[in-house]
Amino acid sequence: MIKINLNPKKKNKKGLDLSGIKGVELGRLYSGSDAILAIIFIVLLVSPIVYYFIIETEMEKLNEEKLRIFSEINRYKIIQSRVDKVKKEISEKEKLTKVLNEKLKVYENLALYKTNTVRMLSFSINSVPEGLWLESIKLSLDNGNILGYAFNPNLISIYYKNLEKNYDVSVSNMELKLSKTNTTYYFFSFDLKKLGGN
């Protein structure tokens, strides 16, 4: 017996029943407006993913740049600390040099003072004429003072002239005095200046 299907249903190659789909034509699925809509749909679907990957790539680059900058900052901080340490050492050495220079000047001045004072003392004593005696000699680098006595005023004048050969001498006091034994004598006081230049 032969079966005849009076209501045949259309089947595609894979055996799917397409007869229930009404008003849909296979050729219409690929028409121009549907293709544009499909492309727009795909673009809208794919664009956030692409955008996400672009943002992630940029974030990675920015993080790498941030790490590089932090590394540079740390390197500059280390260099700055070394520079500060060197500046501190230089400052300390400059202070030490200044102190040493001041001490050197003090020693030089002491040597000069000693030389001038010894020379002045030696000259002041060696210039004393016979019959005149000194009571005190005060010496400094810039000036001096000599106190003494004599029985004869001419001896004081001779001593004054002897000192005047090397120093600027001025008489600060000259008196005639009487001792307890009723002896007259002369008291004198000389000021000496400009000792450093001689």
Side-chain angles (χ1 to χ4, degrees), residues 11 19 23 26 35 46 48 57 60 70 78 80 89 99 117 119 133 144 148-149 151 162 166 169 193 195:
K11 290 188 178 180
S19 62
L26 289 176
V46 171
T57 305
E60 285 178 16
F70 279 141
I78 291 169
Q80 184 63 44
E89 289 174 0
V99 168
T117 304
R119 188 166 51 92
W133 68 95
Y149 302 95
F151 291 114
N162 288 343
N166 289 312
V169 184
K193 295 182 182 177
L195 302 178

Side-chain angles (χ1 to χ4, degrees), residues 56 58-68:
E56 280 295 312
E58 288 299 316
M59 287 294 286
E60 285 178 16
K61 287 180 182 177
L62 289 174
N63 283 334
E64 288 174 5
E65 183 69 14
K66 180 181 172 184
L67 289 174
R68 189 188 66 77

Side-chain angles (χ1 to χ4, degrees), residues 85-97:
K85 184 178 177 183
V86 169
K87 282 182 180 178
K88 185 177 178 183
E89 289 174 0
I90 289 172
S91 175
E92 289 173 358
K93 290 189 188 220
E94 286 175 349
K95 286 178 185 175
L96 182 62
T97 302

Side-chain angles (χ1 to χ4, degrees), residues 24-41:
V24 175
E25 298 175 8
L26 289 176
R28 192 170 167 240
L29 286 175
Y30 299 105
S31 68
S33 61
D34 289 337
I36 291 172
L37 287 175
I39 290 172
I40 291 173
F41 176 73

Side-chain angles (χ1 to χ4, degrees), residues 120 124 142-144 146 163 167-169 190-193 195:
M120 177 185 172
S124 300
D142 297 325
N143 56 46
I146 298 176
L163 291 175
Y167 303 107
D168 182 15
V169 184
F190 293 156
D191 289 329
L192 307 177
K193 295 182 182 177
L195 302 178

Side-chain angles (χ1 to χ4, degrees), residues 37-50:
L37 287 175
I39 290 172
I40 291 173
F41 176 73
I42 291 171
V43 168
L44 289 175
L45 185 64
V46 171
S47 62
I49 297 170
V50 171

